[in-house]
């Protein structure tokens, strides 16, 4: 049971951390609109 929990956390946590990192960088104005437009 614990193995399933660890596996699911290892699969989901990196994605959540990347989303939070992008949100925080945009919040502190590190990512401007031009950078975001080029990234799309």
């Amino acid at each position: 049971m614990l193995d399933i929990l660890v596996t699911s956390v290892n699969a989901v946590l990196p994605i959540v951390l990347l989303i939070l990192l992008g949100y925080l960088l945009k919040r502190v104005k590190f990512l401007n609109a031009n950078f975001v437009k080029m990234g799309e």
Side-chain angles (χ1 to χ4, degrees):
M1 184 71 179
L2 189 60
D3 294 338
I4 296 171
L5 178 65
V6 170
T7 303
S8 61
V9 168
N10 283 337
V12 174
L13 192 62
I15 297 168
V16 172
L17 289 177
L18 280 175
I19 291 170
L20 286 175
L21 179 66
Y23 174 75
L24 289 174
L25 287 176
K26 193 170 182 182
R27 226 17 231 198
V28 296
K29 305 290 186 198
F30 187 78
L31 303 177
N32 58 13
N34 188 28
F35 182 83
V36 173
K37 185 176 179 182
M38 288 181 69
E40 291 178 351

